[in-house]
Each structure stands twice: as C-alpha cells, then as structure tokens.
Amino acid sequence: MATNAVLISLCSFAVLILAYFTYGRFLARRIFRLDPNRPTPAHTKQDGVDYVPTKIPVLFGHHFASIAGLGPILGPAIAVIWGWGPAVLWVVCGCIFMGAVHDLGALTVSLRYQGRSIGDVCSDLIGHRARFLFLLIIFFLMSLAMGAFVNAISALFVKFHPGAIIPSFGLMLVAMCIGIAVYRLRVGLGPATVVGLIAFGGLIYWGVQQPLPTYQWFASDATQQLLTESRNAGADVDHGSIAAAQVLQESGHESAAADLTAAATTASRTWIYVLLGYGFVASVLPVWLLLQPRDYINSFQLYLALALLVAGLAVAASTGSDFNVIDAAMIRDDPQMGAPPMVPFLFVTIACGAVSGFHSLVSSGTTVRQLDRETDALPIGFGAMLTEGALAILVIMSCVAGLGSQAWEAGGAYASWGGIGKGGLGVQLDAVIHGGANFLSEVGVSERFGQAFLAVTIVAFAMTTLDSATRLLRFNVEEIFRSIKLEPLANRYFASLIAVGGIALFAQPQGAALWVLFGTTNQLLAGLTLLTVSLFLFKLRRPIIYTLIPMGMMLVMTAWAMAIQLDGFYKDKQWLLFGVSVVVVLMTTWLVIEAILSFCRGRGGLSIAHDDEDPHDDQSEVVSATHLG
Amino acid sequence: MPSETKPVPQVSIILIRETAEQMSGSGCCGRVAGDPCLTGSRDAFQEVRNQQEAFGILHRAVVEFFADQQQRGELTIVTVDPRNQPYLIPKLVKDVWQYRPGWGKGLCSTLQFFSLPAVIVNGRILSRRGRLLDPDALCHAVNEILTASKAQSLRREYS
C-alpha cells in the first residue's frame, strides 16, 4: 500500500503538538519550575534596547526566524537516503526529547543568570577552560557551515540551476536599491517592499527564461558547438551541467560529455572563489546597503516558501495527486547503497531540525532578554523548536514524495551515497528544490518558476549568512587569540584572514562528509549546553536525567560517528577532514572530562539569585501550573 | 460567574526598529551577534545598534512616565522588528480598526507608508521620514490621548 505523505506529516505534527502539552509542560512545571510571578531580566533590567518585555507572538516570530534557516533543510535532505522512517522518527523524537529540552533548558538557565549568554554561564558553571572550548567549537561550526554553504551554492549554480544565477545576483541589486530607498531616501517601508518583491518575481522570471550555463564558458569550442546544436534541436540542456552532460552522452558524444564534466568542475571551483570573494567584500560593506535589506526580503521568502509548501501538500492530499504518495522506502539498509551506517550517522546528519547547539546562542543571547514572563519560555523555547521540527518534516516529504519515484531508482539522486555524498552538497538542495517545486505546482506555480523561486530563496539565505558569518567569525577568532593570551594576533586583519581562510579551507568540494562534520560539531555544542543545563539542575537538586540522557546521547553519537569518519578519511587520505575530525574527537574528550570534573566538584558555587535554591512552595507551583494551562 | 473582558488600552504604541541580533540570513547558523562571549561585546551592526539604543530612550521614557497607566493596562508598548510581518501587519490593522485614526492616516499605517525606524501611536504614524522622535514629543502625544480619554469618560459618567 502506498504511504500517504500528508498522513505522515499530520501524524508527526500531532505528536509534536501533544508533546508540547504534555512533556513540555511537565519540564516547565516540574523540572525547570518556571514561575510567572518571578520577574524576568526583561523587567528587572528593562532598558528598551536589549531587555524589553515582549509578547509571545512577537518574540516567537523573532525567535523562530532566528533558528530556522538552511540547516533544517540540508540535513533532512541528506538523511532520507536511509529511508523516510528513520528520518521522521529522529526529527520527531529528537525534537521532543532533545532539541526542545535543549532550547528550553538554555533559555531557563540564561533566565536565572539574568540574561547572560550560555558561553558566559558555562564558563561560570564549568570553568574558564569551557569558555575556550566554546569559542573553538563555534569557530569550527561557523567555518564548516559556511564552507558547506559555499560548496552547495556553487553546485547549484553550475550543476543544477543556472537559472538561479541572474535572480540571485539581481536580488542583491534589488536589496541595495531597497537599502538606499528605505535607509537613506526614507521611502516608506510598504511601497519599497512591494516594489522589491515584484522585482524579485520579475528576476526569477528572467532567470527562468535566461539561464546562465557558466560551465559552458570553460568547455572546449567543439563541446560548446555541440551544446548549441543540441539546444537548437530543442534539447533541454539549460538545467545544469549534469543534464547537459547526459544529453551529450545519450547522443553518443562521450568525449564531449567528459569535457563538459571537467568544465563543470572548473566552473564550480571558480564559483567557490567568487563566492568567497563576495563574502569578504560583502562583510566590509555597510550593513544598511546589502545585508539589512536582503535579510528583510529573506524573511518574506521564508514565510512565503513555508506557506506555499504547506498549501501544496494540502492540495496534493485533497486532489489525490501523485505527489502525496511517498516513493521512498521506509527503511533503506542496502549495503550496495554505499552509505555510512545509519546509526550513528543519522543522528549527526540531521542536527538542525532535531537538536542544534546553535539554538542555545539565540535562546541565551537574544531571546531571553525579551521574555515577559518565565512561563513564556515554554512556547518560545520548546514551541519554536517543535515548529522547526515541523519544517524538517516538510523538507523530508518534499524529498520522499515530491521528488517522484525516479529519484530512488538506479541513477536517481538517492540511488547511492556516491551520488549524494560525493557529488557535492548541491545534490541534496536540488532534491529539496525539485520536490518542493512539485508541491508548489499543486497550487498553480509552474514547475520551473517554483524551482527557481526555491533555489533563489536558498541561495539568498546562504549568501546573507555568509556575509554576516564572515563579520562575526573575525570577532570569534580575535576572542580565541585573547583567550590564549596571544594578544598581538588578535588584530582585525590577521583575524579576518583566519576567518576567510577557515571558510575557504572547508569550501572545497567535499560532499556530505563536510555536512556530517558540521552536524557533529553542532551536536557537540548541544552537548556542552546540555551539560551546562544538567549542572545547573544538579546544583539545585533537581532531576537531571531529562538533560543528562540527551547530553550523553549527543556525545556518544558524536564520538562514534567521528571514529568511523576518521578511519575513512585516513584510508582515503583526506587529510584536511581527518585533521578536523581529530580536533572534534579531542574536543569531545575534553567535554567529557569537563563534565566528570564538574559533577565531582559537587553542588557548591551556584552564583544565581539565591531564591531559586528554595524549593517552590505549593502555592507557587499551583500558580505556575495555572499559567502553563 | 460573569466573564471578564479584557479592557481595550487607551494607548497602543508600536516601536518599529530593527534588532542587530536578528540580522544574519539563514538563522540557525549565523545569528551569533547577541552573544558577547563570542563577539567580545563588539557590534558588527553598529548603525542598527545605535538606533536600538535611541529607541531605548523612547521606551524608557514611556515606561517611566506612564508606569501607573501601564500597570492598569491603559497603555501598551511593543517593540517589533520589521521582519516580523506576520505579527506586524495584523497588529497595525487591529490598531487602526480599534482607534480609528481616520482613513488616510489609517491607510498610511496599514500599508506601512513609514520609513524605518517608526513610531505608531493608536494607529497613527508619529515619526517623520524615519527621523528619531523626541521622547518629550512622544510622552506629550501619549499624555494628550490619555487626558482626552479621561475627559471623555468623565463626560460619559456625568451625562
């Protein structure tokens, strides 16, 4: 019997909602003991700048937009190679028992520490070494993520969607015009937005009509001639180098196809350098000119893409469309697939979408300072993570149902790990784009337009992140040098060089291995945060099992995946990835030692407001319970 | 038991300004600007930060001068990032519907004919072309509304 994608999605959403009202409330009431009457830092330190008491709908919007991005798209898109069942199960269970606990825990601990960031708190609770470990993890995390993004964009531009090039770069010009109009000429935000969004639509149309096959620029004259002839004969060779090479191969021009594949590799590398250069230039431009307005447009793209995907899935269900049928197997455990073992790799491949250490930075750095009441931490911390899980479920459905059965057959995108793993990260994004566009076609958006829209949205997210991450990574590098007392190296030029160099190092085409490394580092950060939360609960004599088990699982999965990866990288002589894996293993070991030492130190030394140590009386428990429903 | 309806606040202030920590595109992997431990308390988005601080003055002025009214639920103040349109648009429509600032002014507010940063009081745009509002001017405007509202309720009581 065919499996119904909408049914699976609805069941997953129902479990997530149920978890919110049961496990979420249990944690909030009994473990973190959120009290609506205890003043939050937003009130005690209210300054209208960072500390602003904010209503739930406002803060939820800010928080969700801060945690949801490219992460919950890429990870699930890779992980469905092991089948849709494990991916859905891990997203749902991971979200409920780990991700949401992690986010809620980080938010609560930071609340009790008067809005201090998790990095700050963990150095307080664990020790000064923990701060250095924290900085180091962030450096690898950001460099790896940015390397993966650059890698994926270049693959998208060359191998899959040359139609996204004009709209992606055109969007920069549109963003700059909006920036000048809104921030300098003081044009109204509404009219500027409407004009900007119309221009964005027009650019996508232009891109669809006029793709830029940049791979062709690097091919020999004879191959170019053949491509032109094929195009004139009506062959569909505008879809990227992979489709073009296939057309040449099918028409018997095998040497030309090989030449084109080599040209595509050169084009991908060239794009990587262009994007790195872009990252550097964009990071020194004034923010109002490009980053601010494009990020503003990004928010519309995120909401629009989400709304269209949900609507498409709903229409597919109501009309009984083929896209409502899951084509992938529930569990794929075929050794011929060549994929690494599902356990532990599934748990590090889907990081954002199930549990992400990055969320602790958003929860503790920004969101906590705006919580109106302590009990709001439940919908914001726990609820937003579950919503991100729902987004990951949609992505999984786009890949396993929206993509069609050919993706799972021989020669398809998910036929083997070799196809998705070593072909660069663009393959997974292409799967999401194709599957998502099929859902969009259910609501009347043409397939090519839908593909371009999703491709440009993903590229825009990645480029804005690249811009801001390059700025922030410099600060991070400076802080690392300061931490190890190497002040002379903590100057902006050297730090910028290290920051861009770090991204460049990982931006080389490494395929899914790069993403797995990123996922592992992200889980390591989640482990560090969960350790901080566990210690906090331990010192307050509260049950720690709910945070300690997720922490243990994060560390075990991380170490296990790294051990397997290390062996593979050594055998394949991939020394860069081998080196990074060694560093990750060392950081994991370090974290385990710090955890043991922290618990051995006992319960003393808690420097939060003393009233928290007093167990809540029955009355305050009742009040909390009433506010949590 | 009679059901208690939430009283409509006499003054609703919306402060629309960007948040430095909100900017970084693809969320998840980039928004670390809010963590001083990572950035050494330096601001990557200085201009936005300056604006945030200037709006902090407005916020503090209102909270300080109208603390009682806020306590009684007569005044609400909310700070929103313009990226949060799913909240902002309904909020603007609701305020215009509730306080009826007039067709033209209401339309300007709901269609967002204001430049950033903006101050909207009872559905009416108070800031001019993105220029920062003087805290005195904001407090004065709020006070006028509160006084007029008080006078109206007194008239209603005696008539």
Side-chain angles (χ1 to χ4, degrees):
Chain A
M1 201 184 83
T3 318
N4 189 311
V6 171
L7 194 67
I8 299 294
S9 307
L10 288 178
C11 287
S12 309
F13 297 161
V15 173
L16 292 173
I17 292 168
L18 192 69
Y20 175 85
F21 288 106
T22 52
Y23 193 54
R25 280 184 182 174
F26 163 74
L27 290 173
R29 279 180 199 170
R30 302 287 168 198
I31 307 300
F32 295 115
R33 297 187 190 169
L34 301 176
D35 180 354
N37 297 321
R38 183 183 290 134
T40 60
H43 287 281
T44 55
K45 293 182 165 185
Q46 184 169 179
D47 60 0
V49 184
D50 297 308
Y51 297 88
V52 189
T54 307
K55 291 176 181 176
I56 294 174
V58 186
L59 194 53
F60 186 90
H62 290 173
H63 184 78
F64 180 66
S66 299
I67 62 170
L70 211 48
I73 295 176
L74 252 172
I78 298 174
V80 289
I81 191 151
W82 290 292
W84 63 267
V88 168
L89 207 62
W90 167 234
V91 165
V92 172
C93 296
C95 241
I96 296 168
F97 297 108
M98 297 188 192
V101 177
H102 167 277
D103 291 13
L104 180 63
L107 200 50
T108 310
V109 170
S110 182
L111 252 178
R112 297 293 158 78
Y113 273 83
Q114 292 302 303
R116 283 167 65 194
S117 73
I118 202 77
D120 230 4
V121 175
C122 86
S123 71
D124 228 41
L125 274 172
I126 304 172
H128 288 298
R129 286 188 308 267
R131 186 173 174 272
F132 181 63
L133 175 62
F134 180 74
L135 286 169
L136 216 54
I137 293 176
I138 295 296
F139 172 76
F140 280 104
L141 203 51
M142 284 174 84
S143 315
L144 283 164
M146 293 315 114
F149 286 0
V150 167
N151 196 310
I153 301 173
S154 72
L156 271 189
F157 280 172
V158 175
K159 293 177 184 165
F160 302 101
H161 295 282
I165 298 175
I166 288 179
S168 296
F169 285 90
L171 188 62
M172 279 189 219
L173 288 178
V174 171
M176 283 183 179
C177 291
I178 292 182
I180 294 168
V182 172
Y183 300 108
R184 289 298 177 263
L185 302 178
R186 302 293 175 193
V187 172
L189 184 66
T193 309
V194 171
V195 172
L197 291 177
I198 291 171
F200 172 52
L203 279 167
I204 292 178
Y205 183 76
W206 183 12
V208 169
Q209 298 302 318
Q210 202 170 345
L212 269 188
T214 47
Y215 52 87
Q216 206 174 309
W217 302 348
F218 299 91
S220 67
D221 290 345
T223 310
Q224 285 193 35
Q225 181 69 29
L226 274 172
L227 276 174
T228 313
E229 281 168 16
S230 307
R231 210 167 278 137
N232 291 341
D236 197 7
V237 290
D238 289 336
H239 274 313
S241 68
I242 289 180
Q246 209 171 346
V247 167
L248 290 179
Q249 201 146 23
E250 281 165 8
S251 57
H253 301 99
E254 282 181 5
S255 61
D259 176 47
L260 193 70
T261 308
T265 309
T266 315
S268 292
R269 283 191 191 282
T270 310
W271 269 116
I272 285 174
Y273 294 126
V274 169
L275 290 167
L276 286 172
Y278 157 80
F280 184 74
V281 172
S283 71
V284 293
L285 281 181
V287 284
W288 63 265
L289 188 59
L290 179 59
L291 179 69
Q292 248 170 301
R294 192 175 52 191
D295 192 40
Y296 174 71
I297 298 171
N298 282 173
S299 63
F300 284 93
Q301 290 172 301
L302 173 69
Y303 294 126
L304 192 62
L306 264 178
L308 286 174
L309 279 177
V310 173
L313 198 59
V315 172
S318 58
T319 56
S321 153
D322 281 351
F323 298 130
N324 187 27
V325 177
I326 294 182
D327 302 295
M330 190 174 170
I331 300 178
R332 293 175 83 213
D333 197 17
D334 181 5
Q336 302 233 309
M337 204 162 68
M342 183 169 71
V343 182
F345 282 92
L346 171 71
F347 302 97
V348 287
T349 306
I350 304 183
C352 312
V355 48
S356 166
F358 245 121
H359 295 189
S360 65
L361 306 179
V362 178
S363 296
S364 65
T366 316
T367 304
V368 67
R369 296 170 187 171
Q370 295 169 29
L371 274 188
D372 189 19
R373 294 182 307 175
E374 275 199 359
T375 41
D376 293 355
L378 177 63
I380 306 296
F382 204 87
M385 182 63 222
L386 297 185
T387 315
E388 194 189 65
L391 170 66
I393 295 286
L394 282 178
V395 171
I396 292 171
M397 291 306 138
S398 298
C399 297
V400 299
L403 210 51
S405 56
Q406 68 275 16
W408 307 90
E409 290 161 2
Y414 286 104
S416 71
W417 183 260
I420 73 157
K422 289 175 184 148
L425 287 164
V427 188
Q428 293 78 37
L429 286 181
D430 181 56
V432 179
I433 289 164
H434 259 93
N438 285 339
F439 284 148
L440 261 56
S441 69
E442 294 291 315
V443 283
V445 179
S446 83
E447 205 183 315
R448 290 189 77 176
F449 194 88
Q451 282 181 16
F453 165 67
L454 291 175
V456 176
T457 300
I458 287 173
V459 170
F461 274 146
M463 286 174 111
T464 313
T465 311
L466 183 65
D467 176 346
S468 55
T470 314
R471 285 169 203 268
L472 295 168
L473 204 55
R474 176 167 69 82
F475 295 151
N476 173 255
V477 173
E478 286 178 27
E479 283 305 298
I480 289 177
F481 283 128
R482 279 206 186 92
S483 293
I484 50 175
K485 313 274 183 234
L486 284 175
E487 295 280 345
L489 296 181
N491 69 73
R492 66 178 297 172
Y493 301 104
F494 189 68
S496 294
L497 200 70
I498 300 273
V500 177
I503 297 173
L505 206 60
F506 299 122
Q508 302 311 312
Q510 313 280 6
L514 186 66
W515 186 259
V516 169
L517 262 179
F518 160 73
T520 315
T521 322
N522 202 353
Q523 307 294 48
L524 198 60
L525 181 60
L528 182 60
T529 305
L530 285 164
L531 168 65
T532 309
V533 179
S534 302
L535 266 172
F536 168 81
L537 292 172
F538 173 71
K539 286 176 191 268
L540 290 176
R541 296 175 191 282
R542 305 234 186 105
I544 57 171
I545 193 165
Y546 306 98
T547 50
L548 208 61
I549 288 179
M551 183 203 109
M553 182 161 167
M554 289 296 95
L555 294 184
V556 168
M557 292 303 162
T558 307
W560 189 354
M562 275 305 99
I564 298 172
Q565 291 264 89
L566 268 175
D567 186 44
F569 293 148
Y570 183 77
K571 281 178 185 155
D572 295 345
K573 295 189 167 60
Q574 288 181 291
W575 300 120
L576 171 67
L577 297 181
F578 179 81
V580 178
S581 306
V582 169
V583 174
V584 173
V585 169
L586 289 175
M587 288 194 296
T588 313
T589 317
W590 184 355
L591 183 55
V592 172
I593 295 169
E594 290 292 353
I596 295 167
L597 288 175
S598 306
F599 281 104
C600 288
R601 276 196 291 268
R603 291 196 159 94
L606 194 68
S607 59
I608 58 165
H610 207 68
D611 63 350
D612 198 79
E613 292 214 37
D614 297 326
H616 282 210
D617 55 28
D618 288 346
Q619 187 56 40
S620 59
E621 282 286 317
V622 171
V623 173
S624 304
T626 317
H627 276 269
L628 292 164
Chain B
M1 205 175 100
S3 63
E4 274 185 42
T5 50
K6 213 174 158 190
V8 176
Q10 287 155 17
V11 184
S12 166
I13 306 170
I14 312 175
L15 302 178
I16 304 167
R17 59 113 165 115
E18 290 180 291
T19 311
E21 293 83 6
Q22 285 288 324
M23 292 189 304
S24 292
S26 151
C28 204
C29 312
R31 297 187 198 230
V32 293
D35 198 327
C37 182
L38 287 170
T39 56
S41 304
R42 276 153 296 176
D43 293 310
F45 312 115
Q46 191 61 52
E47 199 172 332
V48 186
R49 182 74 197 168
N50 292 346
Q51 214 164 67
Q52 250 176 281
E53 278 168 10
F55 261 60
I57 299 171
L58 289 183
H59 185 100
R60 287 195 295 273
V62 172
V63 169
E64 207 172 296
F65 285 108
F66 302 101
D68 294 341
Q69 286 85 342
Q70 219 186 343
Q71 197 87 41
R72 292 197 296 266
E74 292 169 7
L75 180 147
T76 61
I77 180 164
V78 60
T79 303
V80 194
D81 188 287
R83 285 163 189 75
N84 195 358
Q85 290 282 334
Y87 173 81
L88 187 58
I89 294 172
K91 172 73 179 160
L92 288 170
V93 172
K94 188 183 160 199
D95 274 15
V96 167
W97 179 256
Q98 218 154 48
Y99 300 104
R100 319 240 164 191
W103 277 105
K105 283 170 183 161
L107 217 58
C108 277
S109 301
T110 46
L111 298 180
Q112 308 196 4
F113 272 86
F114 48 74
S115 41
L116 292 173
V119 180
I120 319 269
V121 178
N122 285 4
R124 197 159 60 94
I125 304 165
L126 231 62
S127 48
R128 291 267 173 272
R129 282 174 65 84
R131 256 184 248 145
L132 211 62
L133 201 66
D134 181 8
D136 288 342
L138 177 61
C139 290
H140 183 71
V142 171
N143 196 35
E144 259 183 15
I145 297 169
L146 285 170
T147 315
S149 165
K150 208 172 194 176
Q152 204 177 5
S153 61
L154 276 174
R155 265 200 302 276
R156 226 179 276 148
E157 211 173 290
Y158 286 107
S159 61

